[in-house]
Amino acid sequence: MAKAVLEALQQKFPEAVRDLYTHRGDDVAFVEARGLVEVCNFLKFDPSTDLKLMLSVTGVDYLGESPRFECVYHFTSMTHHHRVRLRVKAPDDADPRVPSVAGIWRTANWWERHVFDLYGIRFDGHPDLRRLYMPESFVGHPLRKDYPMKGRQPLIPERDFRDVIRGPGPQPREQGRTFPGRSPILPPASPAKP
Amino acid sequence: MADERPGLLTPTHDPLEAELPRRRMAINLGPSHPAMHGTVRTHVELDGETIVKADPEIGFLHRGFEKSCENVNWTQCLPYTDRLNYVSAILNNVGYVLAVEKLCGIDVPERAKYIRVIGGEIHRICDHLTLVGAMALELGGFTAFLYAIEARELLWDRVAEQTGARLTTSYCRIGGIERDLPEGFDGRLRDSLKKVAELREEIDKLLTRNRIFLDRTRGTGVISAEDALDYGFTGPCLRACGVPYDVRKVHPYLVYDRLEFEVPVGTRGDNLDRYAMRMEELRQSEKIILQALDQIPAGPVILDDWRYVMPPKPEVYGSIEGLIAHFKIVMEGVQVPRGEVYAYTEAANGELGWYAVSDGSGRPYKLHVRAPGIPILSSLPHIIEGSMLADLIPTFDSINMIGGEVEQ
């Protein structure tokens, strides 16, 4: 049902809406980052789409691909009951930036803080881009694939005890260990840009 | 701002009666405060008793849910999902396995669907009872709290029989459920539901027309339907504003299209409406369980497809195919095909969405949970700014923020 909506969207914004596909019943569109705000304004306010409820924003880190970071938006409509997913690739891998839609849906405020905190994707135009879960003194972004599983940053000193299964802090054999199909676990990422 | 209500002293030029210089007071509610469920810290700025500014801060309970899931296989994520909304664990389990099954493109046996619905609705009742009880407790009604907890205990006994655990159930499996209902479960569940219904009516009598309770909840914590949608409300909090949106009705999953139930809708969007939604949903969930118990067919409870499901033990010990399938599932995990899906269910507090990305290895590449509490909590400043500090407590209760899922 939402397929027709996305086709109409692509005809209206041929520059911004790149690619459409349906996977497992979900209708998805790839949208260029620079056209995102324009597309979202249309999606929310046009009566044919009427996507008044934004469900979530999340990020994905495709380490090893370029562009590396992606933002994923989910919406649904209260009148037509269709659902749409937008995938937006952040153009710059070193400094991923995507325009903020917090001015269109207020719920995007916290979701974008969530993505910024965990992935380090910055949202241009966000009114209050702070970390959501991590403390302000936290270095790096924990859901990036190059952030180590045990990259602990305790706020108070941890007691030094040996636990053979999952003791605190990185253990010697963790260095350079790989999982099948995964990137090697690297030392903690460089500090976040201010 | 001078208070101009009649009967109060108005400021005069008399130095003894002159207005005192006022300063805004900043207080921290939480992170460790009995009325802040879980560990939320709300930084509140007060002018007298009026809230000028509120800033909820979450993350004290952050356990790295998504990071943990990316480093274990698909089945091993299940225990983590229990700990998201720890009051209604089966609803999380069901949401998660539906996402994985959507990604795999498999359908589960009928009996498993009914058992998932029964387990989920029992837990929905537990969740709503917790909210109603906690709300009464924090507004000074300890008796209603005890009734709610007693009712919840009765149901948790049934949950323990059904799943083997009271709280962290890990009951579902990819392709079905872990075990069939025990002998005589049907009758015992019906008995328990009768007792729960009696206790529910007691709570209803104690609270719904209670003057103190009404004064604290009616007209406080109001949000309009338009604002609620803008803030991403789902579930009972959205329905309290008058939007009849329930995933079970709009996009029926499992067997909800075969069960008759009504979706209660409020009008004012205040704390009393949000409470009333929960009370009515307790009745509707009971109705759903009774219908499901009547309709449940006999048959297998888990798929007979060894790519996703552990083979039965006689096959493991008696056949080479069974042994290999067992070995592969234990050592490599379920091989979920490449792709990404968004699956959604109606959890106790709203839409629980799962965005899962698989790269074809045995582990989730990405698993995002759209917890219903995050958008609702993010609207807290909007709801309570300008109202009294005492209104914060019932508002915080009725939006039912669960620390485990909001802070992940």
Side-chain angles (χ1 to χ4, degrees):
Chain A
M1 189 161 62
K3 188 85 181 157
V5 171
L6 289 179
E7 276 161 7
L9 187 73
Q10 194 175 29
Q11 279 174 3
K12 192 160 170 63
F13 302 103
E15 284 296 303
V17 182
R18 285 288 172 203
D19 205 5
L20 308 178
Y21 69 99
T22 302
H23 178 65
R24 301 277 181 212
D26 295 352
D27 297 306
V28 191
F30 276 103
V31 177
E32 293 288 318
R34 58 177 186 281
L36 180 67
V37 175
E38 204 184 358
V39 168
C40 283
N41 258 318
F42 176 80
L43 285 179
K44 182 174 179 184
F45 295 109
D46 192 82
S48 68
T49 55
D50 197 34
L51 296 164
K52 286 281 190 290
L53 182 61
M54 171 186 247
L55 293 165
S56 81
V57 185
T58 187
V60 188
D61 175 6
Y62 291 103
L63 184 66
E65 289 176 22
S66 189
R68 175 179 163 188
F69 292 102
E70 181 183 294
C71 278
V72 185
Y73 299 77
H74 288 97
F75 308 102
T76 185
S77 164
M78 288 291 114
T79 45
H80 308 297
H81 298 310
H82 52 223
R83 283 171 182 253
V84 166
R85 180 190 309 151
L86 301 185
R87 294 174 66 178
V88 180
K89 297 273 184 194
D92 188 356
D93 289 351
D95 178 24
R97 281 175 181 276
V98 168
S100 168
V101 293
I104 306 175
W105 292 274
R106 276 179 284 183
T107 182
N109 187 325
W110 273 35
W111 287 117
E112 288 176 352
R113 281 176 65 189
H114 162 101
V115 177
F116 165 68
D117 187 3
L118 301 177
Y119 286 97
I121 301 172
R122 302 188 77 89
F123 290 89
D124 293 324
H126 189 285
D128 179 26
L129 197 63
R130 289 177 291 152
R131 286 183 179 273
L132 187 61
Y133 305 112
M134 298 295 160
E136 286 299 320
S137 58
F138 195 87
V139 178
H141 299 283
L143 273 186
R144 287 189 174 187
K145 289 285 179 188
D146 53 7
Y147 190 88
M149 174 70 176
K150 290 185 182 172
R152 296 169 73 99
Q153 298 185 27
L155 290 169
I156 51 170
E158 290 191 323
R159 282 194 346 214
D160 182 32
F161 66 94
R162 287 191 66 78
D163 181 339
V164 287
I165 298 167
R166 31 192 306 180
Q171 306 219 332
R173 66 185 184 86
E174 281 290 316
Q175 299 296 327
R177 183 180 164 198
T178 54
F179 293 115
R182 287 302 162 93
S183 59
I185 292 179
L186 301 170
S190 56
K193 291 195 178 59
Chain B
M1 182 186 77
D3 206 326
E4 286 161 6
R5 277 178 292 173
L8 288 179
L9 289 175
T10 47
T12 62
H13 296 296
D14 185 344
L16 283 177
E17 288 183 13
E19 212 172 335
L20 289 170
R22 287 198 286 187
R23 252 190 343 173
R24 285 184 180 180
M25 182 167 64
I27 60 166
N28 276 313
L29 226 62
S32 193
H33 185 282
M36 295 280 119
H37 309 178
T39 49
V40 176
R41 167 176 172 266
T42 309
H43 179 88
V44 186
E45 263 185 43
L46 292 176
D47 179 10
E49 264 197 275
T50 311
I51 297 171
V52 184
K53 193 163 165 289
D55 182 18
E57 184 185 335
I58 62 173
F60 293 93
L61 207 62
H62 182 69
R63 296 147 299 171
F65 168 78
E66 291 185 30
K67 191 78 175 172
S68 305
C69 287
E70 285 173 14
N71 283 279
V72 295
N73 69 37
W74 290 92
T75 316
Q76 286 169 329
C77 293
L78 263 171
Y80 293 130
T81 64
D82 290 336
R83 286 148 181 85
L84 287 173
N85 186 343
Y86 36 75
V87 193
S88 51
I90 293 184
L91 289 168
N92 299 328
N93 292 165
V94 171
Y96 171 69
V97 293
L98 283 176
V100 182
E101 283 159 7
K102 189 173 174 186
L103 202 46
C104 296
I106 53 178
D107 198 19
V108 301
E110 284 291 293
R111 187 173 174 83
K113 288 183 186 171
Y114 276 98
I115 295 178
R116 283 179 182 182
V117 168
I118 292 171
E121 294 300 324
I122 292 176
H123 260 151
R124 194 187 306 279
I125 296 181
C126 293
D127 196 297
H128 289 346
L129 281 171
T130 312
L131 173 130
V132 169
M135 194 165 173
L137 173 71
E138 280 152 25
L139 300 181
F142 201 77
T143 323
F145 171 72
L146 291 177
Y147 281 118
I149 295 302
E150 190 188 341
R152 201 178 69 173
E153 284 299 315
L154 287 170
L155 288 172
W156 272 355
D157 286 348
R158 299 289 84 78
V159 171
E161 276 175 18
Q162 188 188 4
T163 69
R166 280 157 57 84
L167 210 60
T168 49
T169 54
S170 300
Y171 187 48
C172 298
R173 290 289 181 276
I174 299 161
I177 52 164
E178 186 230 348
R179 63 178 96 167
D180 205 343
L181 296 175
E183 200 72 29
F185 181 78
D186 185 303
R188 286 197 298 277
L189 181 57
R190 285 173 199 270
D191 286 349
S192 296
L193 283 176
K194 265 189 210 118
K195 286 182 197 149
V196 170
E198 283 167 21
L199 290 163
R200 185 190 63 218
E201 297 311 319
E202 287 287 336
I203 299 170
D204 196 26
K205 279 183 209 156
L206 280 168
L207 291 181
T208 310
R209 292 173 62 197
N210 181 319
R211 177 68 198 273
I212 301 171
F213 188 77
L214 287 179
D215 283 352
R216 289 293 297 277
T217 54
R218 187 153 54 189
T220 61
V222 183
I223 187 163
S224 70
E226 205 172 292
D227 283 346
L229 276 176
D230 205 28
Y231 270 110
F233 275 43
T234 45
C237 293
L238 179 62
R239 296 194 282 274
C241 306
V243 183
Y245 180 71
D246 187 323
V247 179
R248 292 174 294 173
K249 281 282 186 204
V250 176
H251 305 279
Y253 55 97
L254 295 176
V255 291
Y256 281 110
D257 49 346
R258 290 176 229 164
L259 303 168
E260 269 182 38
F261 61 100
E262 278 157 31
V263 178
V265 176
T267 49
R268 297 180 301 266
D270 60 359
N271 288 324
L272 185 64
D273 267 2
R274 289 197 278 270
Y275 156 81
M277 293 304 104
R278 264 66 179 229
M279 285 308 279
E280 188 51 38
E281 280 186 24
L282 287 176
R283 298 188 179 95
Q284 298 300 331
S285 287
E286 185 192 321
K287 217 165 113 183
I288 294 174
I289 296 175
L290 292 175
Q291 287 177 55
L293 283 176
D294 289 338
Q295 293 181 14
I296 187 166
V301 295
I302 196 155
L303 215 61
D304 187 27
D305 185 339
W306 296 350
R307 287 173 301 165
Y308 305 110
V309 177
M310 290 269 247
K313 279 291 177 288
E315 292 291 339
V316 178
Y317 298 134
S319 75
I320 190 71
E321 294 83 5
L323 185 67
I324 292 172
H326 181 92
F327 179 82
K328 285 189 83 77
I329 285 191
V330 172
M331 298 306 288
E332 295 171 1
V334 176
Q335 300 295 307
V336 175
R338 289 174 72 96
E340 85 284 332
V341 291
Y342 180 80
Y344 44 95
T345 56
E346 180 81 16
N349 294 314
E351 174 169 327
L352 181 72
W354 298 84
Y355 179 63
V357 182
S358 173
D359 61 350
S361 69
R363 297 158 190 255
Y365 189 79
K366 156 88 191 169
L367 186 64
H368 166 71
V369 51
R370 187 253 181 225
I374 296 179
I376 297 180
L377 184 64
S378 78
S379 74
L380 191 68
H382 173 81
I383 298 180
I384 59 164
E385 275 173 12
S387 59
M388 307 286 272
L389 179 62
D391 297 341
L392 175 61
I393 302 300
T395 309
F396 205 83
D397 283 328
S398 70
I399 61 173
N400 201 18
M401 188 233 61
I402 304 280
E405 62 178 15
V406 170
E407 309 186 21
Q408 309 212 334

